[in-house]
Amino acid sequence: MDWNEAIEELESRRAQARLGGGQTAIEKQHEKGKLTARERLDILFDEGTFVEINDLAESRIDDFGLDKKRVPGDGVITGYGKINGRTVFASSEDFTVIGGSLGEYHSRKIVHIQDMALKMKCPIVTINDSGGARIEEGIDSLSGYSGIFERNTIASGVIPQIAVILGPCSGGACYSPAICDYIFVVDEISKMFITGPQVVKTVIGEELSAEELGGAIAHAEKSGVAHFLYKSEKNCLGGVRELLSYLPDNNQASLPVKAGRSVDQCKSLINIVPDNKKKSYDVHDVINAMIDRESFFEVQKHWAKNAVVGFGRMEGNTVGFVCNQANFKGGSLDIDASDKMARFIRFCDCFNIPLVSLIDVPAFLPGSEQEHNGIIRHGAKILYAYSEATVPKISLIMRKAYGGAYIAMNSKHMGADIVYAWPIAEIAVMGAEGAINIIGRKQIQAAENPEAKRAELIEEYEKKFLNPYTAAKRGFVDEVIRPDETKVKILAALDVLKTKNIVRPYKKHGNIPL
């Protein structure tokens, strides 16, 4: 074979790989409102930077007519490029090739790119659009999944791992995204379920559509599996780019700094947060008063709304916010909020992102449903996550901080580096009314006017205990500050804590109450 023939054959194979399952299959993908695997990568990466590898890999199985279906690439595109000018590795499953099913070489390509990402200490993005394990390849498909899961686990906490669901993701395929740090989904396109609608109907007789069973809305609002929900693939992939702008390349790299529009609107906080503890407000307004303008990137905004977590920038630097949301369930901690907060805290600790906790919490949510579903176990995750974290930890007690929930929300005793409180903060075992019903019961019963006596005792209790000064006297609050001082104080704390270093006892790993 001469040079001309050799180059002609190479270009022919490359063209076949680029075409995937063929023009007809590409058109069907578009008819479903979906982009192709390559179109997705074009949106994800900076223009002209993506480099594909293993583009000519093919299945070696000929059984069941697979020899007539296979094409170079084996249904997944893998490679690396630049996102916001920084190196990122990626895989993108191609549904036009045998339904994007995962076979031996399909999985080998993904495993190889995972290994490269870990060696180079760079983030990895996996785009999932697959019919699941390739049945024709039998046990080799299952083995392929296990290799992917193992690498997800080894890389966890070392490099950011982001999964994007842009089509079906069923059975064992769900578990790689589940081990990743974040999952992105698109309404009416993303589907995730361990067993599909037909199996559910056959086994338990429940008839559900794929959307009802495991669609984007279901996982964003009900299960909490999905972290980010979008209306279009383009916006979703733009969201991945945005998330990466807040994160370091790995757990030993510096956090990115992005110049933004610095604001200090903390003078407005006395108008945002009512001094009447029975009135609600939106904690997003508190966050936005102190961070760079339009820099808050919320995580799991549709699930467990009594907790608000996400990334913001202060003077261009990434900060993780963990907040109680007073306008949903009073900001109380329940099972889902506990899981949401603990997972986010641990991610920030993995990648050296300082934590700011905005606290207004009345209690762990009471009730038999919470108790029977394990609020003790789930609530303990917050305690564990905060105590385990060695990053800078700053707390601001805005209004209520009662009982066990006060302890859990990064209290001084749990390892908070600096605790601030506003003058209206109430730090106590419980609210005045509940406390007096217990400790003042005999006095109230013996009084000529029980209601007047109750009111008198409540007022006395509030004046004596429901303020930040008792805690400040004991050193549990470092400083009582005015709301308009909030940003200045937090920035000063972040600055002094940037050289924080903690040495912990040797251990393989802790045993978090999962």
Side-chain angles (χ1 to χ4, degrees):
M1 182 182 294
D2 61 25
W3 272 111
N4 289 333
E5 291 175 325
I7 291 174
E8 185 178 339
E9 181 179 357
L10 171 61
E11 292 303 325
S12 174
R13 288 175 182 269
R14 283 179 171 177
Q16 192 177 8
R18 285 193 294 269
L19 196 58
Q23 192 59 41
T24 300
I26 290 173
E27 290 171 2
K28 286 183 179 178
Q29 182 87 339
H30 287 160
E31 287 170 5
K32 295 175 183 176
K34 296 165 62 179
L35 299 173
T36 66
R38 293 184 184 279
E39 289 168 341
R40 291 162 176 166
L41 292 170
D42 287 342
I43 294 171
L44 179 64
F45 284 92
D46 298 348
E47 186 176 356
T49 65
F50 183 71
V51 178
E52 185 175 357
I53 61 173
N54 295 140
D55 59 328
L56 302 182
E58 286 188 32
S59 170
R60 61 187 175 89
I61 306 299
D62 293 333
D63 299 326
F64 308 105
L66 199 59
D67 57 322
K68 297 181 177 64
K69 300 178 184 177
R70 67 182 182 219
V71 296
D74 205 30
V76 64
I77 302 166
T78 57
Y80 56 89
K82 301 288 186 181
I83 295 179
N84 305 318
R86 296 159 57 200
T87 301
V88 176
F89 290 78
S91 66
S92 181
E93 290 182 317
D94 188 349
F95 196 81
T96 71
V97 179
I98 323 176
S101 58
L102 184 138
E104 178 187 8
Y105 282 86
H106 181 120
S107 63
R108 282 192 183 187
K109 288 180 66 174
I110 296 174
V111 161
H112 180 52
I113 209 69
Q114 288 179 295
D115 288 339
M116 289 188 70
L118 189 56
K119 286 177 184 176
M120 264 47 92
K121 296 290 194 298
C122 293
I124 184 168
V125 178
T126 57
I127 301 175
N128 299 262
D129 186 3
S130 170
R134 190 175 296 164
I135 298 172
E136 296 92 337
E137 297 199 24
I139 194 67
D140 286 320
S141 293
L142 301 180
S143 175
Y145 277 128
S146 61
I148 293 170
F149 302 159
E150 181 186 26
R151 283 160 178 81
N152 285 136
T153 304
I154 293 169
S156 182
V158 181
I159 57 174
Q161 299 181 87
I162 298 170
V164 189
I165 315 300
L166 296 180
C169 182
S170 60
C174 294
Y175 287 115
S176 175
I179 302 172
C180 287
D181 297 304
Y182 294 109
I183 297 176
F184 285 72
V185 294
V186 174
D187 190 19
E188 298 185 354
I189 288 179
S190 308
K191 310 284 189 299
M192 294 182 76
F193 33 72
I194 298 303
T195 53
Q198 190 59 48
V199 175
V200 171
K201 182 180 178 181
T202 301
V203 176
I204 65 174
E206 188 175 7
E207 191 160 347
L208 295 169
S209 68
E211 193 68 36
E212 291 171 319
L213 181 63
I217 298 294
H219 285 308
E221 295 182 355
K222 296 179 181 179
S223 72
V225 168
H227 299 85
F228 302 99
L229 171 67
Y230 291 87
K231 290 293 185 182
S232 72
E233 290 193 32
K234 184 176 181 180
N235 289 340
C236 177
L237 294 166
V240 175
R241 290 176 58 89
E242 185 176 1
L243 173 61
L244 286 169
S245 74
Y246 289 86
L247 309 181
D249 291 336
N250 58 67
N251 61 356
Q252 294 178 308
S254 300
L255 290 168
V257 179
K258 183 177 180 179
R261 290 173 291 174
S262 176
V263 296
D264 186 350
Q265 298 176 337
C266 291
K267 288 182 179 179
S268 67
L269 289 174
I270 59 172
N271 299 317
I272 292 171
V273 181
D275 51 17
N276 183 343
K277 60 182 177 291
K278 294 182 179 179
K279 291 185 177 181
S280 66
Y281 60 94
D282 189 346
V283 77
H284 292 95
D285 296 331
V286 179
I287 298 168
N288 288 326
M290 67 182 79
I291 63 172
D292 297 353
R293 193 181 302 278
E294 297 178 354
S295 72
F296 189 57
F297 194 67
E298 188 169 357
V299 178
Q300 291 179 303
K301 68 165 67 175
H302 303 286
W303 181 66
K305 294 181 180 180
N306 40 328
V308 171
V309 301
F311 304 103
R313 292 190 180 93
M314 298 189 74
E315 307 303 298
N317 297 291
T318 301
V319 176
F321 285 87
V322 181
C323 318
N324 306 116
Q325 176 61 293
N327 68 9
F328 194 86
K329 297 183 180 179
S332 58
L333 299 175
D334 61 4
I335 287 170
D336 289 345
S338 298
D339 286 357
K340 177 177 175 176
M341 286 182 169
R343 172 76 169 168
F344 182 76
I345 292 163
R346 299 191 87 211
F347 175 84
C348 289
D349 190 46
C350 285
F351 293 101
N352 302 305
I353 299 171
L355 289 162
V356 172
S357 301
L358 303 181
I359 301 159
D360 186 356
V361 62
F364 279 97
L365 188 66
S368 59
E369 180 182 358
Q370 289 290 306
E371 296 289 356
H372 296 168
N373 285 292
I375 184 61
I376 296 171
R377 173 167 48 88
H378 290 270
K381 295 178 187 180
I382 303 181
L383 304 173
Y384 191 103
Y386 269 129
S387 296
E388 178 189 46
T390 59
V391 293
K393 295 179 289 187
I394 301 163
S395 290
L396 170 64
I397 302 172
M398 299 181 293
R399 283 199 316 192
K400 300 181 296 296
Y402 294 160
Y406 153 67
I407 298 171
M409 286 300 300
N410 197 35
S411 63
K412 193 72 172 179
H413 337 280
M414 293 291 291
D417 295 299
I418 297 179
V419 178
Y420 297 116
W422 286 344
I424 61 169
E426 300 179 351
I427 306 167
V429 175
M430 62 177 67
E433 293 179 8
I436 292 305
N437 286 340
I438 297 171
I439 62 177
R441 180 172 53 87
K442 291 183 178 179
Q443 289 177 269
I444 293 170
Q445 288 175 347
E448 291 184 12
N449 188 334
E451 287 306 313
K453 188 63 176 178
R454 177 182 283 107
E456 177 191 332
L457 293 174
I458 288 173
E459 183 179 2
E460 181 182 322
Y461 186 92
E462 287 178 341
K463 287 181 178 179
K464 188 171 184 179
F465 297 109
L466 292 190
N467 60 67
Y469 301 111
T470 299
K473 289 176 184 177
R474 304 290 189 273
F476 303 147
V477 166
D478 291 296
E479 190 174 357
V480 180
I481 63 173
R482 300 193 314 266
D484 63 314
E485 298 174 314
T486 299
K487 179 174 182 175
V488 171
K489 294 292 185 179
I490 289 176
L491 283 175
L494 289 169
D495 182 62
V496 76
L497 293 171
K498 64 187 178 185
T499 55
K500 176 184 176 183
N501 183 38
I502 289 182
V503 178
R504 291 281 172 84
Y506 169 79
K507 57 182 172 182
K508 222 175 156 182
H509 56 74
N511 187 19
I512 186 171
L514 296 173

